[in-house]
Amino acid sequence: PPPPRAPSEGVSPNPWRPFGSRLEFDFTHYHFVELQSSGRNIDKALDMWAASVMEFGGNVPWKNSADLYRTIDAIQHGDAPWKVYQVHYQGPFPPGTPPKWMMTESYELCTRDARQVLHHQLSTQEFSGNIDYAPYKHQDADGQRVWSNLMSADWAWKQADAIAKDRATHGAMFVPIIAGSDKTTVSVATGNQEYHPVYMSPGNLSNIARRAHTNAFLPIAFLPILKTSKKNRKAATYQTFCRQMYHASLSIIFEPLKPGMSAPEVIKCPDGHFRRAIYGLGPYIADYPEQVWLAAIVQGWCPKCDVPPHDLDCKGSHRRSERKTDFLIGAWDPGTLWTTFGVRADVVPFTHSFPRADIHELLSPDLLHQVIKGTFKDHLVTWVNEYLLEEHREAQGLDIIADIDRRISAVPPFPGLRRFPDGRDFKQWTGDDSKALMKVYLGAIAGHVPDAMVKSLVAFLDFCYIARRNAITSEGLKQLEHALDRFHVYREVFVGTAGVRGDQISLPRQHSLKHYVRSIRLFGSPNGLCSSITESKHIKAVKEPWRRSNRFQALAQMLQTNCQMDKLAAAHQVLTALGMMDGTTSSHQAMLLRGEQPQPRPRVGAMAAEDNMDDDDHGPAPGPKSLSSVELAHTPARGYPRTLRSLTIHIDQPELPAALRRFLYDQVNPDSDISPADVDINDCPDFTGRIVVFQSAVARFYAPSDLCGAGGMYHERIHSHQNWKGKYPRYDTMFIKTGPDSDPMYGMTIGRALLFFSFTFRDKHFPCVLVNWYVPGNAPDENTGMWVVQPEFAGNGRHPLSIVHLDCVARAAHLLPVYGTSFIPEDFQFYDSLDAFRAYFVNNVIDHHTHEFLS
């Protein structure tokens, strides 16, 4: 194809239109998007603006907030207006007086043109470099198959094959449509205000792009929610109508895409090129209750296979398919279909009317509800507590549970780790709460429960963390299967306890884990197809717009807010591509006064956030994939002496001068066979220069399975602070490379950062850290699978000190105390943890990067 048009070509003389300048756009974006100011607050800001320019004869561009809203509505970018459909019951009426929901009720389906939204998404320039234009099969350096993005997996390859065989569609780009829906409640106090949004994303985008806070996943509809009395809710007619309306609504939502599923359409892509494309319904993200509706099956049955609900993990099951279901419906009566096959004959899945779509195949794994909230929080955590209450009687069981909570609250801090001041004792659980608890729960229960329960949790965590990787190899799939097999063996310890009555475990969410290997081969990593993505979108698409409404007929106001937010986001992307959003508002104005003009940016992926890592504890790092690095903070610490002698006294570390001299000996004599610790101190170089102290360092590394930037890079801050937030000292721990990979813990030793500093010696700059050591054993712990380290002590009872160059530091490490069977004091403080115990687990589930590294 010809080269894409430059961003500045075809742009109107005033690219700010309908705004007049950068100031007007920034004012609108700041108040409407960032602050989410009310109309009254916008009116007040406009009044103050008017007062500031009045003496100069100036005017403000808007009279009031309503005038500003009309300007937002006039933005042409990202325009995809909402439509409302009225849905009524049109079936037969029962004898007597029909219920109100049949006679007079109408239900609103709010949707917008899915094709238009898709075109907006695919033309977004910031996705360039994060999109696959064709299916592919990826092999790593060892020749192993790798499944990551949707287009790297077998389903997309099979779909593209079918498209290529048709002369009318041969050569067209395949665009799978990932959809997701999930009910959410906005009125927690009463619980009666629910919304049911449907989201959509182009499947060509990478998992990283889909999980980022961009327009990769947008709301395209709000499904009607029926409400009636409890009596009517149980009526078969009502339940059938609800499900039929649900599928009819989904058919209407995706109908605009249907012509493009058989005849190619020309679309604009993020790289600026135009391509012929064929659409196709792709993986559908939903929790189990919604999967039951989507697959038109009976509650308790599996939507993917025909295994009986009373023995979900038995062998000999067969996969469900649209073709097989149609055959069963033609061969059996509705009663037999319900009881023997778990099929509802009164509902036809919406996918029946779309080409190349089978809902049983398209239902994607749901890490959040099946694994994190389901198997972990609702099952394992609950079972452990119920076991303790049953085994030790209520009073002693409650004491043990309280100690587990204290252990959870006593773990040392770590970048991004949520604190649980009261353990698990809070009412409103979120997915993020469950993820945070997973990171510290294993160490808390070890010693209080049987080894088999610990091993059951270890096997589950291995399964969870492998399944959540952004890229899974053939070997990873074998490890996943092995972890699931171990979990099924060790979870039997719960059978017969208070948590699991009966002689077997048969739970839909745990059964779903058996389908993960096949789903990964079909759709790639579940990390990019998780309902946590749709739940995170609820905040911007549902909850925040609802809070901005006046609560009366709120949905119409929410739709308008969504539309305005999309328009501002699209305009911001266009202006950014033109280079017009570089710098601040005042610096942009100063540039114009100098007679200079903004320069368009090159057409490359621009999803990375601003480089504000010096202010963040952890999170996405901008830039492409690169080697890991650790750098000192940008700003030196205040209040520290600059001479070695004064600094030694200030931090109360009398061994610092000797440690620094031995460090310099090692740097000056890198090829020496003598260890610096064995060299006479008088033979080591002396240092009299200036020292600069820092209170943190930033590690930057490739971690695509965590919440990373567009290039897969992640950053975390390692702290070393005498008085963290004015409350307590904080000295974090780190992985430090001290030996070859064949050594214990792959050549890594844990160091505790007592002081970050830098100095210059013989014209060479040295960024360093003063550490004491936690030394690993020869093998991981048999029950927990975690490495165990112990603090190193010298003959005088003090921790020996060493100085390490930052080049040897890999990243932060998290240690969990080995609590054993003892109870910890009720007044124990978490910031004392790293000094109070004899041994520590190296936490291998603190994040995905650590788990993969230590596995």
Side-chain angles (χ1 to χ4, degrees):
R5 189 171 54 189
S8 57
E9 292 180 29
V11 177
S12 65
N14 177 20
W16 296 109
R17 191 179 301 276
F19 301 93
S21 65
R22 166 78 180 263
L23 173 61
E24 293 182 17
F25 182 84
D26 281 354
F27 180 90
T28 303
H29 195 274
Y30 179 66
H31 279 281
F32 195 85
V33 177
E34 296 177 41
L35 292 186
Q36 299 186 18
S37 302
S38 65
R40 181 180 299 178
N41 287 340
I42 292 176
D43 289 339
K44 187 174 181 178
L46 288 172
D47 183 66
M48 289 189 288
W49 186 358
S52 68
V53 299
M54 191 175 293
E55 63 177 303
F56 306 107
N59 296 307
V60 295
W62 305 287
K63 298 178 182 178
N64 49 41
S65 57
D67 198 13
L68 183 143
Y69 296 154
R70 283 191 288 271
T71 301
I72 298 175
D73 292 335
I75 297 174
Q76 298 299 307
H77 308 291
D79 188 22
W82 291 84
K83 298 178 181 178
V84 178
Y85 294 88
Q86 298 292 333
V87 183
H88 306 268
Y89 176 77
Q90 294 180 328
F93 293 110
T97 304
K100 184 179 178 181
W101 65 266
M102 280 188 179
M103 293 292 293
T104 59
E105 292 287 346
S106 65
Y107 309 96
E108 288 187 348
L109 166 64
C110 302
T111 184
R112 49 183 174 175
D113 192 321
R115 177 180 173 275
Q116 195 173 7
V117 173
L118 179 67
H119 281 221
H120 287 321
Q121 292 173 309
L122 287 172
S123 64
T124 302
Q125 180 176 330
E126 67 175 353
F127 292 142
S128 182
N130 288 280
I131 185 171
D132 299 311
Y133 296 109
Y136 63 96
K137 292 183 179 180
H138 177 204
Q139 290 185 323
D140 64 12
D142 297 325
Q144 291 192 65
R145 174 82 183 271
V146 180
W147 290 268
S148 53
N149 302 320
L150 175 63
M151 300 299 279
S152 72
D154 298 345
W155 176 82
W157 189 278
K158 183 177 67 175
Q159 293 283 310
D161 272 352
I163 291 169
K165 291 176 183 177
D166 187 343
R167 285 191 175 185
T169 58
H170 182 81
M173 166 186 170
F174 176 51
V175 179
I177 309 300
I178 297 175
S181 53
D182 183 30
K183 270 188 184 179
T184 185
T185 303
V186 293
S187 181
V188 177
T190 60
N192 61 0
Q193 188 59 59
E194 291 183 317
Y195 294 98
H196 199 163
V198 180
Y199 301 92
M200 184 182 74
S201 173
N204 309 76
L205 300 181
S206 69
N207 292 344
I208 294 172
R210 193 169 299 111
R211 298 200 317 268
H213 296 290
T214 63
N215 68 333
F217 231 116
L218 290 177
I220 57 168
F222 283 80
L223 296 172
I225 296 180
L226 281 71
K227 292 185 178 180
T228 188
S229 65
K230 288 185 178 179
K231 179 181 178 181
N232 287 331
R233 233 177 284 164
K234 295 180 181 179
T237 308
Y238 176 78
Q239 293 185 5
T240 299
F241 173 65
C242 290
R243 285 166 171 77
Q244 289 176 344
M245 184 171 66
Y246 174 83
H247 284 279
S249 298
L250 290 173
S251 294
I252 292 171
I253 292 166
F254 295 106
E255 185 66 28
L257 295 167
K258 197 170 182 178
M261 294 180 181
S262 53
E265 290 189 354
V266 176
I267 60 169
K268 185 179 180 181
C269 298
D271 60 1
H273 291 294
F274 289 83
R275 291 176 172 86
R276 294 165 66 246
I278 284 288
Y279 313 133
L281 292 181
Y284 200 106
I285 303 171
D287 59 11
Y288 176 72
E290 192 140 359
Q291 287 184 353
V292 168
W293 280 48
L294 284 161
I297 62 168
V298 179
Q299 183 75 24
W301 288 74
C302 175
K304 306 285 284 187
C305 69
D306 60 3
V307 66
H310 62 273
D311 190 9
L312 286 170
D313 290 329
C314 70
K315 297 181 179 179
S317 63
H318 303 89
R319 288 198 295 268
R320 294 186 186 272
S321 69
E322 177 186 300
R323 184 177 178 183
K324 180 179 177 180
T325 301
D326 289 343
F327 172 79
L328 292 174
I329 291 175
W332 299 93
D333 62 274
T336 303
L337 290 170
W338 183 289
T339 58
T340 305
F341 301 103
V343 173
R344 295 186 65 117
D346 56 349
V347 180
V348 178
F350 81 98
T351 52
H352 266 50
S353 59
F354 291 84
R356 305 182 307 277
D358 184 337
I359 190 61
H360 302 292
E361 180 182 54
L362 294 179
L363 290 174
S364 70
D366 182 12
L367 286 168
L368 179 62
H369 292 96
Q370 293 169 348
V371 178
I372 298 166
K373 282 186 175 181
T375 304
F376 175 66
K377 182 186 80 71
D378 293 343
H379 298 162
L380 293 176
V381 174
T382 302
W383 293 351
V384 166
N385 287 350
E386 292 180 351
Y387 161 79
L388 291 171
L389 293 173
E390 180 184 53
E391 180 72 13
H392 300 280
R393 305 296 183 185
E394 184 173 0
Q396 187 180 358
L398 289 174
D399 287 343
I400 295 175
I401 292 172
D403 186 63
I404 290 174
D405 285 339
R406 286 194 296 274
R407 292 178 174 193
I408 291 170
S409 66
V411 300
F414 186 82
L417 177 64
R418 175 183 169 168
R419 294 222 55 78
F420 292 93
D422 302 312
R424 304 160 299 99
D425 189 19
F426 54 95
K427 296 179 181 179
Q428 190 80 20
W429 278 81
T430 66
D432 288 339
D433 295 329
S434 299
K435 291 175 186 176
L437 183 62
M438 289 174 72
K439 298 177 180 182
V440 297
Y441 189 66
L442 179 61
I445 66 171
H448 277 323
V449 300
D451 291 346
M453 287 190 182
V454 173
K455 291 179 179 179
S456 172
L457 187 64
V458 170
F460 164 76
L461 290 173
D462 284 343
F463 179 92
C464 177
Y465 274 72
I466 294 170
R468 290 168 66 188
R469 290 177 184 173
N470 193 59
I472 303 173
T473 63
S474 304
E475 181 61 30
L477 287 183
K478 293 179 182 178
Q479 294 173 1
L480 192 73
E481 288 183 300
H482 180 56
L484 185 59
D485 291 341
R486 285 161 39 221
F487 175 62
H488 284 159
V489 170
Y490 289 121
R491 72 174 181 177
E492 291 298 312
V493 70
F494 292 104
V495 175
T497 65
V500 182
R501 298 301 185 188
D503 59 357
Q504 64 180 0
I505 297 173
S506 182
L507 297 166
R509 284 180 290 184
Q510 287 197 30
H511 164 73
S512 68
L513 307 186
K514 298 186 71 171
H515 296 294
Y516 269 55
V517 170
R518 180 172 185 269
S519 294
I520 291 168
R521 288 194 172 106
L522 283 176
F523 303 129
S525 170
N527 206 17
L529 298 170
C530 180
S531 60
S532 61
I533 301 174
T534 57
E535 287 208 356
S536 68
K537 297 298 179 182
H538 288 339
I539 298 172
K540 294 294 183 183
V542 183
K543 297 181 185 293
E544 289 181 356
W546 184 81
R547 295 188 195 109
R548 295 170 71 158
S549 73
N550 62 14
R551 310 295 195 272
F552 177 70
Q553 295 182 344
L555 184 55
Q557 301 169 59
M558 293 163 60
L559 298 180
Q560 184 180 24
T561 299
N562 268 296
C563 198
Q564 291 169 332
M565 295 286 279
D566 289 346
K567 283 172 173 281
L568 280 169
H572 192 280
Q573 291 166 1
V574 171
L575 294 170
T576 299
L578 295 172
M580 301 179 70
M581 297 304 298
D582 293 344
T584 64
T585 311
S586 59
S587 66
H588 178 86
Q589 186 64 27
M591 177 190 67
L592 296 179
L593 292 175
R594 293 194 301 269
E596 301 173 7
Q597 294 296 321
Q599 298 300 312
R601 290 185 175 185
R603 189 177 288 275
V604 295
M607 285 175 51
E610 293 181 11
D611 190 356
N612 57 354
M613 293 190 299
D614 206 48
D615 301 321
D616 293 340
D617 211 37
H618 72 109
K625 178 180 178 180
S626 61
L627 296 175
S628 60
S629 63
V630 180
E631 298 178 352
L632 294 171
H634 292 169
T635 307
R638 297 178 181 179
Y640 284 84
R642 297 298 179 96
T643 64
L644 180 60
R645 181 175 180 180
S646 299
L647 181 61
T648 300
I649 298 171
H650 183 83
I651 65 173
D652 191 25
Q653 294 290 356
E655 294 182 28
L656 174 62
L660 181 57
R661 294 182 69 180
R662 294 189 188 282
F663 170 78
L664 289 175
Y665 177 87
D666 186 51
Q667 297 296 313
V668 173
N669 303 279
D671 300 324
S672 175
D673 295 331
I674 305 174
S675 170
D678 299 328
V679 177
D680 189 293
I681 193 65
N682 295 314
D683 294 333
C684 297
D686 200 6
F687 179 77
T688 58
R690 188 167 170 264
I691 295 177
V692 181
V693 174
F694 299 83
Q695 291 178 331
S696 65
V698 178
R700 189 174 182 272
F701 48 90
Y702 183 66
S705 301
D706 294 293
L707 187 59
C708 56
M713 300 300 292
Y714 182 84
H715 81 275
E716 63 188 8
R717 185 170 298 278
I718 308 169
H719 294 274
S720 178
H721 206 298
Q722 284 185 315
N723 193 19
W724 174 249
K725 296 185 177 180
K727 295 181 179 180
Y728 53 86
R730 177 176 175 179
Y731 302 107
D732 290 350
T733 50
M734 312 165 291
F735 287 104
I736 300 176
K737 188 68 173 176
T738 56
D741 292 348
S742 57
D743 281 1
M745 208 163 71
Y746 312 105
M748 293 286 180
T749 306
I750 303 299
R752 191 176 183 190
L754 303 179
L755 188 76
F756 287 110
F757 63 99
S758 67
F759 63 90
T760 300
F761 181 74
R762 296 181 183 175
D763 298 326
K764 186 175 180 180
H765 181 70
F766 291 94
C768 303
V769 57
L770 177 70
V771 302
N772 55 35
W773 299 101
Y774 294 77
V775 183
N778 292 323
D781 176 67
E782 181 181 356
N783 290 327
T784 63
M786 293 189 283
W787 288 90
V788 178
V789 296
Q790 294 181 316
E792 186 179 40
F793 288 96
N796 57 5
R798 294 178 65 98
H799 297 288
L801 301 182
S802 298
I803 291 176
V804 177
H805 197 288
L806 279 193
D807 287 348
C808 298
V809 177
R811 54 156 300 178
H814 189 239
L815 302 185
L816 296 172
V818 178
Y819 298 107
T821 58
S822 302
F823 284 54
I824 63 174
E826 292 188 10
D827 60 350
F828 185 83
Q829 299 297 327
F830 69 91
Y831 45 79
D832 294 326
S833 287
L834 290 174
D835 298 308
F837 296 89
R838 296 179 179 178
Y840 298 85
F841 294 120
V842 180
N843 190 354
N844 63 352
V845 292
I846 190 62
D847 54 37
H848 298 90
H849 182 269
T850 303
H851 183 266
E852 194 163 357
F853 160 62
L854 290 180
S855 295

